Amino acid sequence: MKRKEYIKSFLGILIGIMFYEFFIDISEPFQNAWANYFTEIGILLACIYGGIGIITFLSNKYSHFQAKENA
């Protein structure tokens, strides 16, 4: 059971980072370097949590569907 949770988290993190790298491009929106740094960290964390949420939602949705189908 722990292995499944680890794999889901890893895939969610991977998807979140890939989404951030490919689709989100912020180039110094603020004058302050620290504000840019914290903004980038915040957006990256939001993408990671979103990726984990999507993977968890999809795995729960399809695992319940398969359980109903087998019953």
Side-chain angles (χ1 to χ4, degrees):
M1 191 65 173
K2 294 283 184 183
R3 185 178 296 158
K4 287 182 182 180
E5 293 297 321
Y6 177 76
I7 291 171
K8 286 194 293 187
S9 296
F10 179 76
L11 286 175
I13 291 169
L14 185 66
I15 288 173
I17 290 173
M18 287 175 51
F19 180 80
Y20 175 78
E21 289 294 324
F22 291 133
F23 296 112
I24 298 177
D25 181 30
I26 59 167
S27 56
E28 307 295 325
F30 302 110
Q31 296 296 324
N32 188 353
W34 284 105
N36 291 328
Y37 178 74
F38 287 127
T39 302
E40 189 169 347
I41 294 294
I43 293 172
L44 181 61
L45 287 175
C47 289
I48 288 172
Y49 284 126
I52 291 172
I54 289 170
I55 293 296
T56 303
F57 173 74
L58 290 176
S59 66
N60 289 342
K61 181 178 178 181
Y62 288 118
S63 66
H64 288 303
F65 178 71
Q66 291 171 354
K68 291 178 186 176
E69 195 173 83
N70 292 335

